[in-house]
Amino acid sequence: MFTRYVLFAVLATLANLLTQEVTIRLAPVAPLTLSILMGTAAGFILKYLLDKKWVFDDGYDGHRQELQKITLYGAFSVLTTLVFWGFEIAFWAIWQTDFAKYSGAVLGLAVGYAAKFMLDRSFVFKERRA
């Protein structure tokens, strides 16, 4: 289950970056800002749908419940992104090298994704009880 979660995180990241690149090439105005927004949306939607179906085997319980799940999933995404950024910035601030910055990023991503998996499993895609 966790392996699929991580694999889908990689796929969502690739979708984000590809969408950003396409947007930058096509957008006549504010390509950077628009590309970040479009990439984030593409990655978020893909990751949510893959996690919902292939990681947590979550069914559809109606519009209201689905909106609650998406909102909570998004909030946890923001929270764990802050963890990732915190590690990356802290490592840079302490050692001020690219190696430290990227080491912090990798550690922050690992901690963030592990935490997000547990939060999603416990609060977003609760196991169905018979």
Side-chain angles (χ1 to χ4, degrees), residues 77-123:
S77 295
V78 169
L79 177 68
T80 55
T81 296
L82 294 174
V83 169
F84 153 57
W85 286 348
F87 272 86
E88 186 173 1
I89 291 166
F91 275 50
W92 169 252
I94 293 167
W95 290 286
Q96 297 186 0
T97 67
D98 286 342
F99 180 77
K101 175 184 175 296
Y102 291 120
S103 296
V106 169
L107 182 59
L109 281 170
V111 169
Y113 272 124
K116 185 151 183 336
F117 175 78
M118 290 185 283
L119 290 167
D120 288 343
R121 185 178 62 186
S122 298
F123 299 105

